[in-house]
Amino acid sequence: MEETRINWQQYFMAQAELVSLRSTCTRLMVGAVIVRDNRIIASGYNGSISDGDHCMDKGCYVVDGHCIRTIHAEVNALLQCARFGVSTEDTTIYVTYFPCIHCTKQLIQAGVKEVYYDSDYRNDPLAIELFKEANVKVIHTPLTDVSINLVK
């Protein structure tokens, strides 16, 4: 009997979705995983600084339509690599939403070469242009092959 296995893109996108469940922002829960050679080297979700006030406790701190109380998922994953001395050169990131312009610049600067994202969210034309100029592959990869049923 032949077994069907989930492909790598769906596997890592499912991991990003799972990580997003740790988000403390009430406006949008985002998760990200950074991968090298089909191995997760870091993950991140959007949340406040360690021991800081969280959106779920104090509300979002919105400036120009963006919550600035949180650190974005992509940045938290990059910072985890920085904190533990793990290179992000030539890596791939899986993120539940298209990266904002600020995350786009940081991903490019960190050496990320591929971005897989599940859902569109305010896809900034400049972000798309910057990814293209930096030869970063951006692939829309909706999570379709996986369902997670949380049973208590």
Side-chain angles (χ1 to χ4, degrees):
M1 182 166 109
E2 186 176 318
E3 256 186 73
T4 304
R5 292 176 67 191
I6 186 173
N7 70 39
W8 286 114
Q9 290 75 30
Q10 290 291 295
Y11 173 77
F12 291 123
M13 195 59 73
Q15 296 293 324
E17 192 66 43
L18 187 61
V19 169
S20 78
L21 296 176
R22 289 284 304 156
S23 172
T24 62
C25 187
T26 56
R27 293 183 65 206
L28 189 67
M29 297 174 75
V30 182
V33 294
I34 300 176
V35 174
R36 175 184 291 110
D37 299 324
N38 288 335
R39 300 292 179 264
I40 296 172
I41 62 170
S43 65
Y45 52 88
N46 57 329
S48 299
I49 60 170
S50 297
D51 300 320
D53 292 331
H54 296 283
C55 297
M56 60 184 12
D57 300 324
K58 298 281 186 168
C60 291
Y61 189 144
V62 179
V63 175
D64 294 329
H66 296 283
C67 178
I68 61 169
R69 187 180 302 282
T70 63
I71 301 167
H72 289 192
E74 302 93 323
V75 174
N76 264 329
L78 291 172
L79 290 171
Q80 188 178 65
C81 287
R83 188 173 209 171
F84 295 104
V86 178
S87 173
T88 54
E89 188 69 27
D90 297 325
T91 56
T92 298
I93 192 165
Y94 291 81
V95 64
T96 54
Y97 290 92
F98 189 89
C100 74
I101 186 64
H102 301 292
C103 289
T104 295
K105 293 183 286 185
Q106 292 174 62
L107 292 169
I108 291 168
Q109 204 68 0
V112 173
K113 294 301 180 195
E114 294 180 321
V115 175
Y116 288 84
Y117 71 98
D118 183 355
S119 299
D120 291 312
Y121 182 74
R122 300 181 184 177
N123 301 24
D124 191 300
L126 180 57
I128 295 166
E129 181 181 328
L130 289 174
F131 277 139
K132 188 174 183 176
E133 288 175 1
N135 294 316
V136 174
K137 288 176 32 180
V138 179
I139 303 107
H140 183 216
T141 308
L143 183 60
T144 57
D145 295 346
V146 177
S147 71
I148 301 169
N149 296 316
L150 302 175
V151 180
K152 292 186 179 194

